[in-house]
Amino acid sequence: MTNSDRLDQLSRELLDVPYAELTDVQKSVIDLICAEAPTGLNKALVSDDRTFWDRLADGVAKVGGSWAFIGGFSLALLIWTGVNIVLKPMNLAFDPYPFIFLNLILSTVAALQAPVIMMSQNRQALKDRENAEHDYVVNLRAELEIMHLHDKLDALRERDIVELSRQNAEALGRLEAQVMALGAKLEARG
């Protein structure tokens, strides 16, 4: 039996569909089952192919989305406003109330930080989709392998039942022969 015949047979047994009509994911699962090879780790989890800018965006998202950042940033705002309020009576404030320069800095940080965080989230979403597809492949393979094992167990059970039925029929035949022989002996005596 050729490999393509084996693949087609497996896909028909497990999915009731010819191999040629399977999706790419289903074909990869049937290929793994036929090769009896382990599924392996998801390549996206193993390799880190991020560029410097990708790693920087992930770092900004990690820091910018933390309580430490919120606390540190809040502290910096309090210090900024406190220093300017204290220095205003002496005409030494570098950003007096209404803190226009602080507003400019906050707007700039928000304008830059939001797209960087979104880039990181988009990349993470893509990685999550790849992981979900890998999980689907692993789960589908496990389900198909279990179905395949059930079929093998059913075939073994059926073979055992046929063999037990044959042995029972032989035993019943011997028992009937013994009963008839015993009956003939009793008739001869009586």
Side-chain angles (χ1 to χ4, degrees), residues 37-92:
T39 305
L41 293 174
N42 187 353
K43 292 178 181 81
L45 292 175
V46 176
S47 67
D48 186 8
D49 57 352
R50 297 178 301 166
T51 65
F52 167 77
W53 299 109
D54 292 341
R55 287 191 302 275
L56 180 64
D58 290 344
V60 168
K62 184 177 181 181
V63 171
S66 68
W67 284 107
F69 175 78
I70 293 171
F73 203 71
S74 298
L75 181 64
L77 292 176
L78 286 173
I79 292 172
W80 182 288
T81 55
V83 166
N84 281 293
I85 289 172
V86 170
L87 294 178
K88 183 169 172 128
M90 297 177 272
N91 287 329
L92 296 173

Side-chain angles (χ1 to χ4, degrees), residues 119-182:
M119 284 187 288
S120 178
Q121 287 176 336
N122 289 340
R123 194 174 31 266
Q124 186 61 44
L126 177 64
K127 193 174 184 178
D128 290 344
R129 278 192 299 275
E130 290 172 355
N131 286 335
E133 184 175 313
H134 182 262
D135 289 345
Y136 172 75
V137 167
V138 170
N139 291 339
L140 179 60
R141 179 180 182 184
E143 185 176 346
L144 292 176
E145 289 281 2
I146 290 169
M147 288 171 51
H148 194 61
L149 286 173
H150 276 286
D151 290 344
K152 285 182 178 180
L153 285 174
D154 289 345
L156 286 172
R157 191 175 306 132
E158 185 178 323
R159 188 189 71 202
D160 289 347
I161 288 172
V162 167
E163 178 62 24
L164 282 173
S165 296
R166 186 189 61 75
Q167 289 174 357
N168 285 343
E170 287 175 2
L172 185 60
R174 286 191 306 266
L175 188 58
E176 285 174 346
Q178 289 174 355
V179 167
M180 290 179 88
L182 188 60

Side-chain angles (χ1 to χ4, degrees), residues 91-110:
N91 287 329
L92 296 173
F94 56 90
D95 186 22
Y97 181 82
F99 310 113
I100 295 171
F101 185 56
L102 177 62
N103 284 324
L104 174 67
I105 290 173
L106 291 174
S107 298
T108 304
V109 167

